[in-house]
Amino acid sequence: MEAIGKQYGISKQRVSQIILRHFPNADRYTRGSAIRKFLDEAKLEEASQTGMPLKGHRTALEQAQFDYLRRLKQNVKKKGLIFDLPFNMVEWNVVCPMSGAPIDWFASKLGKSSPACRLFVKESGYVPGNVEIVSWGAYRKYISENIAQSRASLI
């Protein structure tokens, strides 16, 4: 039961509770395979409902994108903005739609090809349909052009 708990990220006590509730007549030899099948199905059902892929079922690119979304959520929460953006509702670009340059999801440092999240309407927050994944270099250029235009309109 301890191995099953570690594999699925739950306690031994929770594994025992699931066995008693769902497999009361299972002997100790059939319990392991039955509980693993049950937990696999439960995790797949949860993933389909929440839109979050399972960690064991992600490719390296999906894992990098998932980690980016997690870090983005942490930063947004610190700023006090709205963040209601499920993983499957983001258009995960591999090529920047603004510049046409490839986005490097595995960059170890921030650079021109690192991913950045652009908001169409800042007041709406990070919600589906209001974000676009672009390269950091293109986003920085877009921001500097907007600042230059707003300064020019003040003159």
Side-chain angles (χ1 to χ4, degrees):
M1 278 194 272
E2 186 174 347
I4 293 171
K6 283 183 180 177
Q7 180 180 355
Y8 292 96
I10 57 177
S11 66
K12 290 189 298 185
Q13 181 179 6
R14 182 67 183 131
V15 172
S16 298
Q17 291 170 348
I18 292 171
I19 288 172
L20 290 174
R21 184 172 184 193
H22 297 280
F23 310 103
N25 299 328
D27 62 3
R28 64 182 232 190
Y29 301 108
T30 59
R31 251 186 260 179
S33 60
I35 189 74
R36 280 187 174 91
K37 184 177 179 185
F38 175 79
L39 290 171
D40 281 340
E41 289 171 359
K43 284 216 171 213
L44 287 172
E45 178 66 27
E46 178 186 343
S48 67
Q49 289 176 355
T50 61
M52 300 296 286
L54 296 173
K55 186 167 181 111
H57 300 290
R58 293 185 195 125
T59 64
L61 177 62
E62 288 172 335
Q63 184 63 45
Q65 292 167 340
F66 181 79
D67 292 340
Y68 175 78
L69 187 66
R70 183 179 41 80
R71 287 189 307 271
L72 179 66
K73 181 177 182 178
Q74 291 170 349
N75 292 336
V76 168
K77 294 275 182 173
K78 286 178 190 175
K79 294 176 184 175
L81 295 173
I82 298 168
F83 190 94
D84 185 22
L85 194 62
F87 182 82
N88 63 344
M89 296 299 288
V90 178
E91 186 178 335
W92 295 103
N93 299 320
V94 180
V95 176
C96 176
M98 293 173 75
S99 66
I103 296 175
D104 184 8
W105 288 100
F106 304 102
S108 58
K109 293 190 240 178
L110 185 64
K112 289 183 178 182
S113 61
S114 299
C117 189
R118 179 173 88 102
L119 291 175
F120 296 116
V121 181
K122 188 172 182 175
E123 293 77 28
S124 299
Y126 291 79
V127 294
N130 193 39
V131 297
E132 181 179 38
I133 303 296
V134 297
S135 68
W136 184 75
Y139 186 61
R140 188 178 64 180
K141 185 177 179 184
Y142 166 78
I143 294 291
S144 63
E145 287 172 357
N146 281 353
I147 290 172
Q149 286 176 356
S150 65
R151 286 183 183 163
S153 66
L154 292 175
I155 299 174

